[in-house]
Amino acid sequence: MEKQKRGFVHYIAQGSLVKQILVGLIAGILLAWLVPSAAKSVSLLGTLFVGALKAIAPVLVWVLVMSSIANHKEGQKTNIRPILVLYILGTFSAALVAVVGSSMFPSQLVLVVNNAQMSPPENIMEVMKGILVNVVDNPVNALLNGNYVGILAWAIGLGIVLRHAKDSTKSLIHDMSEAVTQVVRVVIRCAPVGIFGLVSSTIAETGFNTLLGYAQLLVVLLGCMLVIAFVVNPLIVYWKIRRNPYPLVFACLRESGVTAFFTRSSAANIPVNMAMCRRMNLHEDTYSVSIPLGATINMEGAAVTVPVLTLAAVNTLGIPVDLPTALLLSVVSAICACGSSGIAGGSLLLIPLACSMFGISNEIAMQVVAVGLVIGVLQDSAETSLNSSTDVLFTAAVCQAEDDRLASDQLTRRN
């Protein structure tokens, strides 16, 4: 009996998190289907889980970036620039795929009234201004409000300054990053219970029919994300490593994408990505910076959400779209997606900005935002999964390409 207890505890603490999450997901769906009243009562489990993720994620990004920069040694190559190029290329490609997909399969919306008080940006200059303001935000305020642009800016600044600190100080900062990472790992191990509460209470309150009402819109959204995950990203990775990219793509989706889908937080998924990078023996000086950075600015999923919902509204209102406008929408969506984490409401609040390009009033645009909130159960999960898995995918691609180049150079010198 004692061995069975120990075996169960070991499975909970060390077993496959993906399998445990799937069990929690199925249990949540069954509870919402069979006993809806009981399903609503377990919403506290989901609330506590999401609250814990939101609380620890800003601190995690802060200490990881600051520690990796402060402990970086002179002469060590980080390969951040080519990773940034892939981040930008992937985000723009995602926006372009979303525009093409929405044009090929136009969706209709049943616009609903949303009375929530929101302040969406009115133009691209306001978005850029908001990003710059967030960069110089008070660091304590940035941590409290989850302003990841501000957190990243302060972490980079402090990390650069602390490179000249004493070794004992650098060691303390490194220990802090390890401690916060361990706390996040503990929180993520609670994901099956939290997802059980989230799924069961959400389905019990909204019902299965709510999602079915927007089935075509969801198919277009998720279809574009699947095209990016299984076609566009592999092409980008192949261009970088010059060999079959799919083993790496599938590994990233399986180990990073699945957990990100259910936690719905790229920042909270950072330890999962870093652990995967460590297992693949990637350069620590590279992934310790690129993974937290990607969680902040690499937003392929957001670059899909904005144009798909915007063009659904455009199609509903019968507004014609020419090729130059479609290309401009792709560029605007990609730029805004990179700064979406620094704007309250995330990617959905960028929809009014995109709608303004077609002369759609703010009132109607906010109704489109409301539609996004309705389908957010799947949309936000898929968006986060794509965002987070791409962080580790592009990091691994650049590191492997650099290793191949070094190996080729050594072989040439020997010959």
Side-chain angles (χ1 to χ4, degrees):
M1 187 69 179
E2 188 66 29
K3 288 184 179 179
Q4 290 180 340
K5 286 183 179 179
R6 273 196 232 126
F8 178 74
V9 171
H10 182 269
Y11 173 74
I12 295 298
Q14 304 292 336
S16 171
L17 183 61
V18 173
K19 292 180 181 178
Q20 293 176 11
I21 286 174
L22 289 176
V23 170
L25 174 65
I26 295 171
I29 293 173
L30 290 175
L31 182 63
W33 180 31
L34 299 175
V35 193
S37 57
K40 293 180 181 179
S41 65
V42 299
S43 62
L44 178 62
L45 296 174
T47 301
L48 291 175
F49 176 64
V50 172
L53 287 176
K54 288 182 178 179
I56 195 63
V59 181
L60 177 68
V61 173
W62 175 292
V63 297
L64 280 181
V65 174
M66 183 172 61
S67 174
S68 61
I69 294 176
N71 287 282
H72 174 71
K73 296 177 182 177
E74 292 290 341
Q76 288 183 333
K77 194 174 181 180
T78 59
N79 298 310
I80 295 300
R81 185 176 299 174
I83 294 175
L84 285 175
V85 170
L86 295 192
Y87 284 168
I88 295 170
L89 178 61
T91 301
F92 175 73
S93 300
L96 198 58
V97 167
V99 170
V100 173
S102 296
S103 301
M104 292 175 62
F105 305 98
S107 303
Q108 293 280 343
L109 297 181
V110 179
L111 300 178
V112 296
V113 177
N114 180 39
N115 297 319
Q117 296 297 317
M118 298 184 179
S119 300
E122 296 178 356
N123 51 60
I124 188 67
M125 292 306 298
E126 186 173 338
V127 173
M128 300 306 295
K129 179 182 176 182
I131 293 174
L132 292 175
V133 169
N134 284 332
V135 166
V136 295
D137 191 13
N138 182 289
V140 177
N141 189 60
L143 287 169
L144 289 174
N145 296 321
N147 169 17
Y148 288 101
V149 173
I151 291 169
L152 188 64
W154 280 102
I156 292 173
L158 287 173
I160 292 173
V161 173
L162 287 170
R163 290 179 65 179
H164 305 288
K166 296 179 180 179
D167 289 341
S168 57
T169 303
K170 294 180 181 179
S171 178
L172 174 62
I173 296 171
H174 176 72
D175 290 343
M176 285 177 58
S177 69
E178 290 292 326
V180 176
T181 300
Q182 189 60 39
V183 171
V184 176
R185 289 197 185 107
V186 172
V187 173
I188 291 180
R189 291 306 305 189
C190 299
V193 177
I195 288 160
F196 166 73
L198 281 172
V199 171
S200 59
S201 60
T202 300
I203 293 178
E205 291 173 5
T206 63
F208 292 97
N209 292 331
T210 303
L211 293 178
L212 292 176
Y214 296 105
Q216 182 176 343
L217 180 63
L218 275 170
V219 168
V220 174
L221 265 170
L222 300 180
C224 288
M225 293 184 187
L226 288 173
V227 168
I228 294 159
F230 293 106
V231 178
V232 176
N233 284 348
L235 286 174
I236 294 174
V237 172
Y238 175 78
W239 168 69
K240 199 68 185 174
I241 64 176
R242 300 296 178 181
R243 60 176 179 272
N244 182 7
Y246 283 99
L248 181 59
V249 170
F250 289 139
C252 293
L253 288 172
R254 182 178 63 251
E255 298 189 36
S256 174
V258 172
T259 53
F261 183 91
F262 293 109
T263 59
R264 298 169 71 176
S265 172
S266 294
N269 209 49
I270 288 175
V272 175
N273 285 350
M274 295 189 72
M276 184 178 178
C277 291
R278 197 176 298 115
R279 287 195 299 274
M280 290 191 294
N281 295 318
L282 303 184
H283 307 155
E284 185 174 358
D285 286 322
T286 298
Y287 71 73
S288 61
V289 176
S290 68
I291 295 299
L293 185 64
T296 306
I297 67 169
N298 183 36
M299 299 291 169
E300 284 190 352
V304 171
T305 298
V306 174
V308 166
L309 286 172
T310 299
L311 290 177
V314 168
N315 183 59
T316 301
L317 299 172
I319 301 172
V321 181
D322 55 21
L323 181 60
T325 305
L327 290 174
L328 181 59
L329 176 61
S330 300
V331 174
V332 170
S333 299
I335 293 173
C336 293
C338 292
S340 62
S341 61
I343 300 173
S347 60
L348 292 179
L349 272 187
L350 297 172
I351 292 171
L353 166 60
C355 285
S356 68
M357 295 174 54
F358 301 92
I360 299 175
S361 68
N362 191 60
E363 181 181 351
I364 296 177
M366 293 312 298
Q367 294 177 27
V368 180
V369 174
V371 174
L373 294 173
V374 170
I375 64 173
V377 176
L378 287 177
Q379 171 268 326
D380 189 44
S381 296
E383 180 180 310
T384 307
S385 178
L386 181 60
N387 290 341
S388 189
S389 61
T390 306
D391 295 344
V392 67
L393 175 65
F394 287 165
T395 297
V398 170
C399 288
Q400 290 183 8
E402 179 65 16
D403 288 342
D404 291 344
R405 187 188 66 80
L406 292 175
S408 178
D409 290 345
Q410 288 179 354
L411 184 61
T412 303
R413 282 195 295 269
R414 285 176 186 172
N415 293 335

